[in-house]
Amino acid sequence: MKILVPVKRVVDYNVKVRVRTDGSGVELANVKMSMNPFDEIAVEEAVRLKERGVASEIVVVSIGVQQAKDTLRTALAMGADRAILVDATSDVNRDIEPLAVARLLSRIVEAERPDLVIAGKQAIDNDMNATGQMLAGLLGWGQATFASKIEIADGRAVVTREVDGGLQTIGVKLPAVVTVDLRLNEPRYVSLPSIMKAKKKPLEDRTAAELDVDVTPRLKIVRTVEPAQRVAGVRVASVDELVDKLKTQAGVL
Amino acid sequence: MTVLLLAETHQGRLATDAVARTLSALAPLGEVHVLVAAGDGAEAAREAASLKGVAKVLLAEGESLRHGLAEPAAALVASLASEYRHIAAPATAFARNILPRVAALLNVMVLSDVIAVHGADSFDRPVYAGNAVQTVESTDPVVVLTVRTSVFGAVGRQEPAPVETVAAVADPGLSVWIEDAAVVSERPELASARIVVSGGRGVGSKENFDAIIRLADKMGAAVGASRAAVDLGYAPNDWQVGQTGKVVAPDLYLAVGISGAIQHLAGMKDSKVIVAINKDEDAPIFKVADYALVGDLFSIVPELMGKL
């Protein structure tokens, strides 16, 4: 079984993002970039499926700028077999929208014919939570989003999904798209030898133009601002004072 | 212009609060038709018809719609789309699963987690876990959006609007429902509760977390948890408040033993009143708290229980 995993280069999870004062966006220059944490979980799951003998090949794909090759190298070091970079822009400040990403991925899927696409449920930059569902829709495939458990058997994926108020288990006919949630697994730490070894793994270059996909944004970003800041309130000295303040001042009890 | 609102239902019951809040967000966009897609949806359709601002309810019933599977639901919504300028839903797990697929079928983008509606094509939405807010303008002929319900109030009631039956589309048979392991709870729903009591790493263990649960029950509150508490196994994932969990905005948010990582603050900073109890007086949570109590939660929580 062949698995395709899309990965995105985003601002590192531990970086406090700064909004540019002119409203033009978030400061991305000289900021640490990493693989989207949900995508790391997706790669880890694919690697575990390969280690269990369920999967035979893992192809990772990233869409965006040339620098995303670093992200692909990380995925290769984790255990993916080969990588494809789809160059869609040279501007590091430009986010390719989920619809365009899904279209590009659908072209890659047509060429690679994977049995399963495992993707992160959302990217922590645009927080759109859409690419996996869009890809499944474009391909006419089944989808299982927000997975916390994936089992492959008899031509289908049995997926436990994290939904509001509990868990839902569904069976999806393969080929399918599965998007992963936090609790699915804990991604492995990438060792130095595996990083060295990953440098020898194949990394193919493609472009959005050659895949004939228009990546023009559908959403125009008018401005980006900081959210309203809260100001620190008061220190209370005791539980009595707290209860009193909540009753008389805040009026919430 | 007319808006189609995909209503959330669970086992034939309408998620009334989420739908009522979404209706108030959509009010500036024009007349709203609510689509109830369910196994048996008559009761949910009647409930939706009586929410203020609903001009008509479309009821689609069918086996394939019983469990909220994305493929038949998205195909149904897409089949109705030509009549509408906007297609919307509350930003819950139910709709986040379905609406992006609808958008792809219509070859348009989706706008997730809208927090302000400025006009037919202009919306605000948070990015970077709420550390920035973007104003975006859609250039698509149909705007597909999900609404962050916690920032909108619920609409009231009205004389019931008409309910019209629409045909479900053929089940594409791509996925099957196996089971729901719903957590049955007497507590209010986390996303819409008036009071939320949350515990973090400082609570120390799953056993100690019981004290947080007892306090929440005493206050009639929902229980929340930080990602750290969830990762450590103190609390289930669907209690998680934050960037990677639920976003809440209750009247009162009580954070116990939570340091206040960026990712947690993103999920609760819009609460009306925030109370933080933490032994570390430099904890970042105190920067957003209206009332800060520095001290040992293991003595404070029982004392608080006794005085409420």
Side-chain angles (χ1 to χ4, degrees):
Chain A
M1 189 176 83
K2 183 166 167 180
I3 302 178
L4 190 116
V5 184
V7 295
K8 186 175 185 182
R9 173 181 184 265
V10 298
V11 171
D12 188 85
Y13 166 65
N14 290 309
V15 171
K16 168 104 177 81
V17 298
R18 281 197 1 262
V19 176
R20 289 199 209 99
T21 46
D22 64 359
S24 64
V26 161
E27 192 51 71
L28 295 179
N30 303 316
V31 170
K32 187 185 175 203
M33 305 294 282
S34 300
M35 192 192 303
N36 178 39
F38 290 103
D39 301 347
E40 257 187 314
I41 295 169
V43 173
E44 175 67 32
E45 192 66 13
V47 173
R48 289 186 190 187
L49 285 167
K50 192 178 174 195
E51 286 167 350
R52 290 211 301 269
V54 178
S56 51
E57 189 187 20
I58 302 163
V59 181
V60 287
V61 186
S62 194
I63 288 163
V65 290
Q66 283 291 327
Q67 290 88 329
K69 280 182 178 166
D70 295 341
T71 313
L72 289 169
R73 295 277 177 217
T74 306
L76 292 171
M78 287 175 74
D81 297 296
R82 56 193 180 86
I84 302 169
L85 177 84
V86 180
D87 187 326
T89 177
S90 55
D91 179 0
V92 290
N93 288 308
R94 169 131 178 247
D95 189 36
I96 306 296
E97 287 177 351
L99 180 64
V101 170
R103 285 211 172 281
L104 289 164
L105 288 174
S106 74
R107 294 293 160 89
I108 301 289
V109 165
E110 281 159 17
E112 294 285 338
R113 307 238 158 241
D115 303 285
L116 182 64
V117 174
I118 308 182
K121 75 162 179 180
Q122 76 188 69
I124 61 163
D125 50 5
N126 67 33
D127 283 332
M128 205 62 101
N129 189 335
T131 302
Q133 299 92 309
M134 288 187 139
L135 177 62
L138 293 174
L139 293 167
W141 288 10
Q143 68 182 58
T145 49
F146 326 141
S148 61
K149 191 177 172 194
I150 303 172
E151 270 168 17
I152 309 291
D154 305 325
R156 70 173 189 170
V158 174
V159 177
T160 301
R161 308 178 52 229
E162 305 240 355
V163 295
D164 294 331
L167 300 170
Q168 179 183 60
T169 305
I170 63 171
V172 203
K173 209 182 270 180
L174 298 180
V177 177
V178 176
T179 78
V180 303
D181 217 321
L182 275 184
R183 305 247 279 195
L184 181 63
N185 62 46
E186 219 166 282
R188 68 195 60 196
Y189 183 75
V190 176
S191 66
L192 193 59
S194 59
I195 293 171
M196 299 311 288
K197 230 165 69 188
K199 287 188 175 156
K200 294 199 185 79
K201 291 183 177 177
L203 198 164
E204 191 186 335
D205 276 289
R206 306 295 298 269
T207 66
E210 146 206 330
L211 292 168
D212 197 24
V213 172
D214 181 6
V215 298
T216 309
R218 304 294 185 86
L219 304 177
K220 191 175 138 209
I221 298 166
V222 180
R223 67 183 159 272
T224 305
V225 297
E226 283 207 20
Q229 299 294 319
R230 282 188 91 99
V231 284
V234 295
R235 292 274 160 114
V236 290
S238 66
V239 170
D240 285 322
E241 191 188 347
L242 174 64
V243 172
D244 178 62
K245 285 255 170 30
L246 290 178
K247 279 184 177 155
T248 58
Q249 198 177 60
V252 289
L253 282 184
Chain B
M1 293 315 293
T2 315
V3 183
L4 181 66
L5 193 179
L6 173 64
E8 173 160 356
T9 59
H10 294 285
Q11 286 156 355
R13 289 184 55 196
L14 188 75
T16 305
D17 184 68
V19 175
R21 288 170 184 260
T22 307
L23 279 165
S24 89
L26 301 175
L29 297 176
E31 188 174 286
V32 180
H33 294 175
V34 173
L35 172 63
V36 172
D40 302 291
E43 188 200 318
R46 273 196 302 276
E47 169 81 358
S50 70
L51 292 174
K52 201 170 170 58
V54 176
K56 185 160 79 175
V57 174
L58 306 178
L59 171 61
E61 294 181 300
E63 236 3 83
S64 66
L65 299 172
R66 190 174 295 280
H67 302 289
L69 294 176
E71 303 86 4
L76 170 68
V77 177
S79 76
L80 299 168
S82 62
E83 306 289 320
Y84 298 96
R85 177 73 167 78
H86 297 88
I87 296 173
T92 55
F94 169 82
R96 285 168 186 275
N97 185 35
I98 299 167
L99 281 207
R101 188 176 178 105
V102 171
L105 296 177
L106 301 174
N107 188 28
V108 297
M109 258 300 284
V110 64
L111 283 129
S112 306
D113 269 322
V114 164
I115 56 170
V117 176
H118 299 303
D121 299 301
S122 176
F123 306 87
D124 284 355
R125 59 178 302 272
V127 292
Y128 289 95
N131 286 304
V133 175
Q134 276 182 348
T135 302
V136 294
E137 265 174 37
S138 170
T139 59
D140 281 322
V142 185
V143 181
V144 178
L145 67 148
T146 64
V147 171
R148 179 169 289 186
T149 53
S150 60
V151 294
F152 297 95
V155 295
R157 300 268 165 176
Q158 67 176 14
E159 280 300 307
V163 176
E164 206 174 274
T165 305
V166 294
V169 297
D171 182 5
L174 296 166
S175 58
V176 292
W177 172 83
I178 297 173
E179 68 167 353
D180 284 332
V183 181
V184 183
S185 171
E186 298 296 306
R187 294 186 195 101
E189 178 81 22
L190 182 56
S192 58
R194 206 181 66 79
I195 303 176
V196 174
V197 177
S198 282
R201 187 192 295 273
V203 176
S205 71
K206 192 171 192 301
E207 291 67 39
N208 292 348
F209 210 87
D210 284 342
I212 303 296
I213 296 170
R214 284 198 299 274
L215 178 61
D217 287 346
K218 174 106 187 194
M219 298 177 81
V223 188
S226 68
R227 178 167 171 185
V230 169
D231 285 348
L232 290 162
Y234 302 172
N237 191 40
D238 62 323
W239 290 2
Q240 190 192 143
V241 172
Q243 175 185 19
T244 49
K246 289 202 174 64
V247 176
V248 300
D251 290 347
L252 173 60
Y253 188 89
L254 189 57
V256 184
I258 293 177
S259 64
I262 299 161
Q263 100 95 13
H264 185 75
L265 301 182
M268 45 66 82
K269 65 182 169 47
D270 293 326
S271 305
K272 277 207 194 81
V273 175
I274 297 173
V275 173
I277 297 168
N278 204 300
K279 66 171 193 266
D280 173 11
E281 61 180 294
D282 296 322
I285 190 85
F286 289 136
K287 293 207 179 87
V288 301
D290 299 288
Y291 300 103
L293 183 50
V294 179
D296 180 14
L297 68 94
F298 298 105
S299 62
I300 291 171
V301 170
E303 190 185 345
L304 192 54
M305 284 280 285
K307 286 176 175 159
L308 285 169

